């Protein structure tokens, strides 16, 4: 099978030029993108730089962007991304500084992982032997524990693209692993910490991390799990949880969303500095001739919606 | 005529009434008949799902049961509604025990979801059922030569496993294909499949409008004359908060943001006012003028 690669190159020792280089190699039908890159490095161009180790989607070394989406080179079969012999674009991961060719500086990635304190912090006297926990309590954690720290989710995170202070999907998925661990004794402090700016409420629901994660950790879902834990723990002094409460309350009462109320309640009725900028927004909406009615009518059957909320939310 | 149970979503009845106005103007031109699901609740837009998945899925199962009762497929006009409903439907259809429990909740209202509902975004309908060639043949006022940037909205793009991409692998390209069918020139740009920033507007406005500003500036630099979106939440972000995005970028962006049914309606010869093109925060006059000329 002929494989055409178009690889993004950069060598700081040769200046700041970034360019694409094309390679064409013969590979067997089951070859992966990493196999093709190794072939290039071994037999065509020894200057091509990339990280790899296990070739089995275990070590997490070969994160890269393949046709615009982050993933593992060793887990991506050529026939999946180029079924008709198309050229395959290979680039370094995003949101991290490129050191050379496909190698990125993972320093920021590890800083964020460390920032969530990814170790057990039990309280109380140490057990005589090991901590005993029910199997069921650990099953939910196994998803988050599947993370191999490849950086794919961080690479394609749309929030980190505009704000490097965001803890990001990998670190927050790791954070969930400890929030949900029954052996940990600092759950509330952890949630408080992760609820601060740059934490759980800054995720946009864009699903990029869910889509690209090669181990089905679904980091965004883990972030949402921490949000649920925050709401349940009553850690609500932030716009994110106020937004969530207002949204739910609006649907509970009327069956649908009261957008005007949501905008105000998310900031808080007494948060004047954040409420003032809403005035020009409202004026522009009014001038466009589409100011929603100040009376938010109930949808037909809304009493049943309310009953469902009362039954399932308590 | 093809009949659908029409799910309007909250925003087309609230902050973006021009979307409702335009879809109801376009529908008869395409032989679409709507039975509006007036009693259907909000999908939860992902916010309710993260609070309480079973509650959110029950609200959506309630909507599905209403459509089943009418024996009609559901049509949506919002990427977010579509994505949330697709995900809920997937969970309900693949877990019989869960569906049974959800049905117990619905029994009070005399409703039952049998797991047969189909939910289809207007954009998917155009490409998969109506057909792009058919659409092209109905165009009387082509958007010839107008450079248009598709902006899809996350929920109709990811996660692909819940959105039947295996069966319809081109769903991530439909909007560009529709723009072409209407005579326009679709622009390829990196922001096309990214987030508009809307979900964090009230949590972190700076990040939110930086995202939308980046996309609009990219389109502007590529010569784009307007952006087209099938998601009213993206529209609120790109149109409603464009002045704030411009402030961050230190420039007046001036990018018209067009709802998909408005673009279709204009090409089908419907007057701009009927499509609510006069009800935008950022003037659509430059785009409308180009279509007229």
């Amino acid at each position: 099978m002929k494989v055409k690669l178009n690889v993004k190159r950069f060598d700081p020792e040769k200046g700041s030029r970034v360019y694409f280089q094309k390679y064409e190699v013969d590979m067997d039908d089951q070859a992966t993108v990493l196999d093709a890159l190794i072939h290039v490095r071994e037999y065509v161009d020894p200057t091509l730089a990339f990280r790899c180790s296990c070739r089995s989607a275990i070590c997490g070394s070969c994160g890269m962007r393949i046709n615009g989406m982050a993933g593992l080179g060793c887990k991506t079969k050529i026939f999946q991304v180029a079924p008709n012999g198309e050229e395959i674009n290979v680039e370094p991961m995003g949101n991290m500084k490129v050191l050379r060719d496909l190698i990125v500086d993972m320093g920021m990635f590890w800083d964020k992982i460390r920032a969530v304190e990814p170790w057990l912090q039990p309280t109380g006297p140490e057990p005589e032997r090991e901590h005993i926990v029910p199997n069921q309590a650990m099953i939910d954690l196994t998803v988050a524990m599947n993370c191999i720290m490849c950086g794919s989710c961080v690479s394609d995170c749309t929030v980190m693209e505009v704000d490097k202070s965001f803890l990001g999907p990998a670190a927050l998925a790791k954070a969930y692993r400890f929030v949900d661990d029954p052996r940990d004794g600092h759950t509330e402090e952890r949630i408080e910490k992760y609820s601060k700016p740059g934490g759980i409420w800054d995720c946009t629901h864009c699903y990029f991390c869910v889509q690209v994660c090669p181990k089905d950790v679904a980091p965004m879902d883990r972030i949402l799990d921490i949000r649920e834990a925050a709401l349940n723990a009553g850690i609500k002094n932030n716009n994110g949880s106020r937004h969530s409460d207002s949204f739910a309350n609006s649907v509970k009462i009327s069956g649908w969303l009261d957008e005007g109320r949501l905008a105000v309640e998310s900031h808080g009725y007494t948060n004047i500095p954040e409420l003032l900028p809403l005035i020009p927004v409202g004026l522009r909406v009014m001038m466009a001739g589409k100011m929603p009615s100040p009376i938010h009518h109930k949808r037909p059957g809304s009493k049943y919606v309310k009953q469902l909320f009362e039954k399932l939310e308590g | 005529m093809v009949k659908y149970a029409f799910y309007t979503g909250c925003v087309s009845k609230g902050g973006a009434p021009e979307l409702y106005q335009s879809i109801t103007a376009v529908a008869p031109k395409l032989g679409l008949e709507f039975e509006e699901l007036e009693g259907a609740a909000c999908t939860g837009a992902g916010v309710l799902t993260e609070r309480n998945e079973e509650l959110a899925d029950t609200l959506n199962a309630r909507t599905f049961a209403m459509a089943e009762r009418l024996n009609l497929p559901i049509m949506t006009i919002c990427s977010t509604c579509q994505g949330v409903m697709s995900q809920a439907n997937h969970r309900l259809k693949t877990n019989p025990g869960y569906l049974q429990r959800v049905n117990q909740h619905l029994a009070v209202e005399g409703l039952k979801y049998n797991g047969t509902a189909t939910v289809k975004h207007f954009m998917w309908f155009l490409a998969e059922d109506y057909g792009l060639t058919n659409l092209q043949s109905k165009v009387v006022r082509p958007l010839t030569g107008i450079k248009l940037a598709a902006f899809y909205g996350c929920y109709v793009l990811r996660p692909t496993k819940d959105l039947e991409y295996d069966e319809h692998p081109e769903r991530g390209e439909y909007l560009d294909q529709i723009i072409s069918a209407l005579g326009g020139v679709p622009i390829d740009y990196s922001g096309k499949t990214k987030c508009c920033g809307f979900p964090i507007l009230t949590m972190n406005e700076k990040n939110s409008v930086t995202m939308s500003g980046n996309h609009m500036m990219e389109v502007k630099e590529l010569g784009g004359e307007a952006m087209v979106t099938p998601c009213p939440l993206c529209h609120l972000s790109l149109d409603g908060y464009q002045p704030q995005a411009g402030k961050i970028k230190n420039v007046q962006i001036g990018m018209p943001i067009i709802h998909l049914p408005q673009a279709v309606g204009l090409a089908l010869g419907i007057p701009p006012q009927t499509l609510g093109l006069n009800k935008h925060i950022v003037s659509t006059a430059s785009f409308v003028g180009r279509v007229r000329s």
Side-chain angles (χ1 to χ4, degrees):
Chain A
M1 171 174 68
K2 281 254 182 291
V3 179
K4 293 180 215 159
L5 298 172
N6 188 31
V7 184
K8 197 171 188 179
R9 307 286 316 264
F10 166 66
D11 183 350
E13 287 169 15
K14 291 182 183 166
S16 57
R17 194 166 81 95
V18 176
Y19 60 100
F20 278 89
Q21 187 160 356
K22 294 182 192 297
Y23 300 101
E24 203 167 315
V25 289
D26 268 316
M27 303 298 299
D28 73 57
D29 292 348
Q30 291 299 315
T32 65
V33 171
L34 180 63
D35 291 335
L37 288 170
I38 290 171
H39 186 95
V40 168
R41 191 178 62 185
E42 298 298 314
Y43 302 105
V44 182
D45 180 355
T47 70
L48 182 63
F50 54 90
R51 286 195 184 105
C52 69
S53 182
C54 76
R55 307 186 200 187
S56 308
I58 294 168
C59 74
S61 303
C62 64
M64 57 186 74
R65 267 190 177 153
I66 300 163
N67 287 344
M69 297 287 275
L72 296 176
C74 71
K75 206 187 172 195
T76 310
K77 300 266 190 185
I78 304 274
F79 70 78
Q80 291 171 320
V81 287
N84 302 307
E86 299 92 336
E87 189 173 80
I88 303 166
N89 262 319
V90 186
E91 298 170 74
M93 289 194 289
N95 286 331
M96 287 168 275
K97 188 185 166 201
V98 180
L99 297 175
R100 192 178 148 180
D101 295 340
L102 303 178
I103 298 174
V104 295
D105 181 355
M106 299 277 286
M108 176 267 274
F109 177 93
W110 295 113
D111 286 346
K112 289 183 187 302
I113 294 283
R114 275 189 288 271
V116 301
E117 300 184 4
W119 52 85
L120 268 183
Q121 298 176 23
T123 49
E126 259 186 49
E128 269 179 42
R129 296 177 65 190
E130 71 272 22
H131 287 272
I132 307 292
V133 290
N135 282 343
Q136 195 57 37
M138 300 306 283
I139 286 172
D140 192 34
L141 284 184
T142 55
V143 179
M145 287 156 99
N146 281 340
C147 176
I148 55 168
M149 311 278 185
C150 67
S152 293
C153 58
V154 166
S155 161
D156 286 14
C157 173
T158 54
V159 179
M160 295 180 100
E161 204 172 84
V162 299
D163 183 358
K164 294 286 183 267
S165 76
F166 180 46
L167 278 169
L172 287 170
K174 181 59 75 186
Y176 173 71
R177 183 247 169 280
F178 293 96
V179 164
D180 202 39
D181 193 316
R183 297 168 296 176
D184 197 87
H186 289 80
T187 309
E188 208 151 299
E189 292 93 318
R190 284 183 184 278
I191 297 172
E192 287 268 11
K193 182 176 169 168
Y194 310 146
S195 296
K196 290 194 163 66
I200 50 174
W201 297 105
D202 276 3
C203 166
T204 63
H205 285 202
C206 77
Y207 284 98
F208 260 108
C209 60
V210 176
Q211 186 70 31
V212 301
C213 175
K215 303 301 278 186
D216 291 331
V217 172
M220 188 197 94
D221 292 339
R222 306 292 74 81
I223 295 173
L224 304 189
D225 286 338
I226 307 179
R227 286 187 184 180
E228 188 183 355
L231 293 168
N232 290 338
I235 298 166
K236 294 187 172 187
N237 191 22
N238 54 67
N239 287 14
S241 50
R242 278 192 289 271
H243 176 272
S244 182
D245 279 348
S246 174
F247 195 114
N249 208 31
S250 164
V251 178
K252 178 182 177 179
I253 292 166
S254 65
W256 64 303
L257 188 60
D258 184 343
E259 293 164 302
R261 195 173 139 185
L262 179 73
V264 174
E265 288 184 348
S266 297
H267 297 289
Y269 282 108
T270 55
N271 191 348
I272 306 298
E274 284 190 18
L275 290 177
L276 283 176
L278 292 179
I279 295 171
V281 176
L283 287 174
R284 279 193 286 268
V285 171
M286 200 185 290
M287 282 165 69
K290 54 176 181 177
M291 192 57 138
S293 160
I295 302 160
H296 187 69
H297 296 284
K298 289 181 180 178
R299 285 259 165 103
S302 60
K303 69 170 184 179
Y304 293 110
V305 172
K306 193 175 178 192
Q307 281 174 12
L308 290 172
F309 268 85
E310 283 164 352
K311 181 177 180 189
L312 294 163
E313 261 208 331
Chain B
M1 293 296 265
V2 189
K3 200 169 176 183
Y4 276 88
F6 180 37
Y7 184 82
T8 64
C10 300
V11 183
S12 82
K13 289 292 185 90
E18 71 279 3
L19 172 59
Y20 183 79
Q21 198 177 328
S22 58
I23 188 71
T24 46
V26 164
K29 290 255 182 193
L30 299 171
L32 269 172
E33 194 185 338
F34 288 152
E35 174 120 11
E36 197 169 311
L37 293 168
E38 289 177 345
C42 171
T43 61
V47 177
L48 292 185
T49 312
E50 78 190 27
R51 285 175 72 92
N52 186 327
E53 190 170 279
E54 188 163 329
L55 169 62
D57 286 352
T58 305
L59 292 179
N60 287 305
R62 182 174 171 269
T63 304
F64 302 153
M66 288 174 178
E68 267 183 350
R69 202 176 253 186
L70 296 169
N71 201 21
L72 293 173
I74 297 171
M75 179 169 286
T76 65
I77 48 171
C78 168
S79 297
T80 307
C81 295
Q82 178 64 49
V84 173
M85 285 173 131
S86 288
Q87 290 175 25
N89 210 9
H90 180 77
R91 282 189 289 270
L92 293 163
K93 283 183 174 182
T94 52
N95 189 341
Y98 184 48
L99 176 61
Q100 198 180 2
R101 200 165 72 232
V102 164
N103 273 328
Q104 283 166 3
H105 305 323
L106 293 178
V108 188
E109 198 177 347
L111 287 169
K112 186 185 176 207
Y113 179 44
N114 297 305
T116 66
T118 57
V119 189
K120 196 157 242 190
H121 193 288
F122 174 63
M123 174 174 70
W124 295 352
F125 159 80
L126 286 177
E128 290 163 8
D129 302 334
Y130 195 76
L132 296 171
T133 318
N134 200 12
L135 178 64
Q136 200 171 7
S137 72
K138 297 285 190 299
V139 170
V140 294
R141 196 164 47 192
L143 315 181
T144 311
I146 307 177
K147 284 187 170 180
L148 295 171
F151 195 86
Y152 286 82
C154 299
Y155 275 86
V156 285
L157 294 168
R158 298 172 293 272
T160 48
K161 67 178 173 53
D162 293 339
L163 294 164
E164 298 157 332
Y165 270 64
D166 283 345
E167 206 180 320
H168 305 283
E170 290 186 16
R171 280 189 168 173
E173 294 159 38
Y174 286 168
L175 193 49
D176 291 87
Q177 293 171 0
I178 291 167
I179 288 170
S180 295
L182 300 177
V185 181
I187 294 180
D188 197 21
Y189 68 109
S190 71
K192 183 161 68 177
T193 59
K194 291 183 182 170
C195 177
C196 68
F198 182 80
I200 53 166
L201 197 49
T202 60
M203 293 79 147
N204 192 330
E205 185 178 312
K206 186 176 169 229
N207 281 0
S208 174
V209 298
T210 303
M211 283 181 193
S212 61
N214 284 350
H215 307 324
M216 291 186 280
M217 290 307 293
E218 190 186 4
V219 169
K220 204 171 169 162
E221 277 156 25
L222 290 165
E225 297 169 71
M227 293 169 78
V228 182
T229 181
C231 182
L233 301 183
C234 297
H235 193 274
L236 286 176
S237 180
L238 295 165
D239 179 58
Y241 274 75
Q242 195 174 128
Q244 286 88 331
K247 218 170 174 182
I248 288 261
K249 295 281 166 196
N250 243 340
V251 65
Q252 193 172 354
I253 300 174
M255 179 64 66
I257 311 296
I258 312 299
H259 294 288
L260 173 61
Q262 290 178 321
V264 174
L266 210 55
L268 297 184
I270 301 172
Q273 288 236 344
T274 310
L275 297 164
L277 279 154
N278 54 334
K279 287 186 179 166
H280 290 218
I281 301 301
V282 177
S283 170
T284 60
S286 59
F287 166 67
V288 172
R290 285 276 282 128
V291 181
R292 277 184 174 148
S293 65

